[in-house]
Amino acid sequence: MARDIIRTSDAPAPPPTYSQAVRAAGLVFVSGTGPQDPATGKIGETIQEQTRQCLENVSAILKAAGSSLDRVVSATVILLEEADFAGMNEEWMRWFPENPPARQGAKLPVRVPGMRVSIAAIAEA
């Protein structure tokens, strides 16, 4: 099976231990993507701002892979705090108002100061 490593400067660079995404078997697997602005490295204050930036970053990675957010079939949202769920979901619904992808969530410690959310996705290529 062929697999292509996807990289774009339009989303934050991952550490050397994983790729932004991998395209294989007709799908694009986007790694957990944080809320850093790729141009400035800054992280927004609110969970809505951070969710928006995560989705912009995922969108940029998918575009580099020849896909898009409307082709996402599954997503994983990792939150630092359960209390952020409502705000994250509010922003999420703006991006996926109809026929949203399957989604699972988790609450995990995040090691980047100020980071409250990370989003991973699987999309059709």
Side-chain angles (χ1 to χ4, degrees), residues 24 31 36 44 47 69 98 105 118:
S31 294
Q36 298 90 339
I47 191 62
L69 283 176
E98 296 179 5
S118 174

Side-chain angles (χ1 to χ4, degrees), residues 20-85:
Q20 285 174 318
V22 175
R23 184 177 45 227
L27 298 169
V28 180
F29 300 85
V30 179
S31 294
T33 304
Q36 298 90 339
D37 180 302
T40 66
K42 292 184 179 179
I43 295 175
E45 294 293 321
T46 69
I47 191 62
Q48 291 89 345
E49 291 170 329
Q50 290 195 22
T51 301
R52 183 177 317 114
Q53 187 64 58
C54 283
L55 290 168
E56 287 175 2
N57 293 340
V58 169
S59 180
I61 294 167
L62 288 170
K63 182 178 178 183
S67 188
S68 61
L69 283 176
D70 63 343
R71 298 180 62 95
V72 172
V73 295
S74 181
T76 300
V77 177
I78 298 172
L79 292 171
L80 178 62
E81 298 293 337
E82 273 181 66
D84 284 336
F85 180 82

Side-chain angles (χ1 to χ4, degrees), residues 3-28:
R3 59 182 215 133
D4 300 313
I5 302 302
I6 307 301
R7 292 185 181 95
T8 179
S9 60
D10 293 331
T17 55
Y18 61 87
S19 298
Q20 285 174 318
V22 175
R23 184 177 45 227
L27 298 169
V28 180

